[in-house]
Amino acid sequence: MKRRDFVRTTAAASMAPLVVPRHVLGGAGFVAPSDTVSVGIIGAGGMGASNAAPLAMSDRVRITAIADVDMGHVQGAVQRRLGSDNARGRAAGAALEDAYGSAARFQDYRELLAEVDDLDAVVVATPDHVHAHAVLHAMRRGLHVYAQKPLTYTVAESRRLAAAAASTGLVTQMGNQGHSGDDGRRVVEVVRAGVLGKVHEIQSWTNRPNGWWPQGVPMPDPAPAPDGVAWDVYLGPNEMQPYRPGIHPFGWRGFVGFGVGSLGDMGAHLVDFPIWALDLARPSRVETRHTPWGGGDDRATYPLATVTTYRFGGAGPMAGAADPGGEIDMTWYDGGLLPPTPVQAPDGFELDPNGGVIFVGERGLLIHETYGSNPRFLSNEPGTDLEAEAADVPRTLTRFDDDVGIHGGVHERNWIRAILGEEEASCPFEYGAHLNEIMLLGVAAMSAGRPLEVAPDGTVTNHSDGASLLTRSYRDGWQLPDID
């Protein structure tokens, strides 16, 4: 591979589809079973380092190139792992240090996609607003993609990625790691088996953003970009604007234009299991109530706390005995707000303030924490032991043979095994984009300031320009590419 001059034009990046990866010799998306998978990391610090670590520790993966607007931040992510107080953390740091040290480095991921010939796949772990652009360019090159949640910044982008995955047949995975965990899969099995009876209501909540990133605050004053930060690349599809402290490297999730707030972050974990278990299609109605926007009419940051209500027309065929045969309501709480304490709860009962889900069925409740952990049952009838009934429910969903757990890389390694043709991807875009769209309809309702009525085909029917709530504008040179 030849490295060209570091500074390249946007037009040059559009040549990426002409670069022929080695797997093209065996057909689009082909990787020989005996091969290691050559992976590029787009957004190599922060969450990208968490995704890259289990790949770097695998002898089936070679990290060939990395791209990040701030290599100092990337180095910090490696050093923090090297200084971990546990052996696995230090091992992850050492693997990352070796892998990143031998990988080609770019500040602009468009250069990585245009110049690195020896690639099979990429991980995309940038801020939310860049996901769709990076993913579609990678897929246009015929590369398999692991994309962090939320999958996209807008509903329209989510639909574009789903269509691209369907047309290319590439192996895709959304980075909601709980989808590969045993706990969440057990929740889905128990609900579908009818332990709760027919399920007619869902409640879910998270403590985010409390203490994680800023929301409900005005935009900081402009300042010079730190040395080594490629701010123009960081802006991506966003309009040109000055650097402002607090956005990079972590606070971006709360800033309008860069992230999609708490629902986009934790909804991918907490809304996932209800949508999956009940096989829910698009909601017919969505409304978000919230505290004031940060910056008032300027909408600099998302509200500090929200409550979003969804109305679904009914469960799908995979819901099994949980199908109520009618409408299902789902309510989302964030910013530290919690659902009411269940009337069936004994004295001293508390919901985990960090996050959780309540399935409300005709026979009782199933309450679990984030990722499906610590399930508890509350029966509507004295003497009915729902927990014992749940223990007798047989396994019907695949479990992944990996002892590292959901935070240790089972989701990433499942993606690699799927690329090698050994198993199915846990959360491909076929499902991930659908889940993502439902999450982002709540964000769109917040932006609209009134309820959205949604047709089965996804059209917003009660706004004069409903399509504008589902998309965004793109800076010149950053439009989304078509997938031929």
Side-chain angles (χ1 to χ4, degrees), residues 409-425:
V410 63
H411 202 50
E412 291 87 348
R413 294 183 183 185
N414 161 252
W415 174 62
I416 295 297
R417 291 193 294 267
I419 291 172
L420 292 169
E422 298 173 358
E423 59 192 34
E424 297 293 325

Side-chain angles (χ1 to χ4, degrees), residues 43-46 49 66-81 96 100 105:
I66 64 174
D68 200 284
V69 299
D70 185 354
M71 286 298 174
H73 180 56
V74 173
Q75 184 60 30
V78 174
Q79 292 301 317
R80 284 190 294 275
R81 287 166 174 80
L96 276 181
Y100 282 7
R105 294 186 170 208

Side-chain angles (χ1 to χ4, degrees), residues 43 69 124-132 150 153 234 247-249 252-253 258-259:
V69 299
V124 175
T126 64
D128 303 346
H129 70 296
V130 178
H131 285 183
Y153 185 80
Y234 189 95
I247 297 177
H248 173 73
W252 52 266
R253 177 149 275 143
F258 295 91

Side-chain angles (χ1 to χ4, degrees), residues 198-323:
K198 299 179 185 300
V199 175
H200 56 85
E201 183 181 355
I202 303 292
Q203 298 168 341
S204 57
W205 69 95
T206 179
N207 63 338
R208 309 290 170 90
N210 291 344
W212 287 82
W213 59 78
Q215 289 185 205
V217 298
M219 185 69 79
D221 292 332
D227 291 341
V229 175
W231 181 243
D232 178 74
V233 179
Y234 189 95
L235 287 173
N238 287 350
E239 64 182 15
M240 286 299 299
Q241 55 190 281
Y243 173 85
R244 298 174 189 270
I247 297 177
H248 173 73
F250 184 72
W252 52 266
R253 177 149 275 143
F255 285 85
V256 176
F258 295 91
V260 292
S262 301
L263 188 49
D265 178 40
M266 296 305 292
H269 303 304
L270 294 162
V271 174
D272 179 16
F273 303 134
I275 299 299
W276 187 10
L278 297 173
D279 194 20
L280 297 174
R282 289 187 176 104
S284 57
R285 188 179 191 276
V286 187
E287 182 175 13
T288 298
R289 299 289 191 182
H290 56 83
T291 55
W293 293 83
D297 292 340
D298 292 337
R299 295 191 176 186
T301 60
Y302 291 99
L304 184 61
T306 70
V307 177
T308 299
T309 56
Y310 296 88
R311 172 67 53 83
F312 295 92
M318 297 301 295
D323 185 354

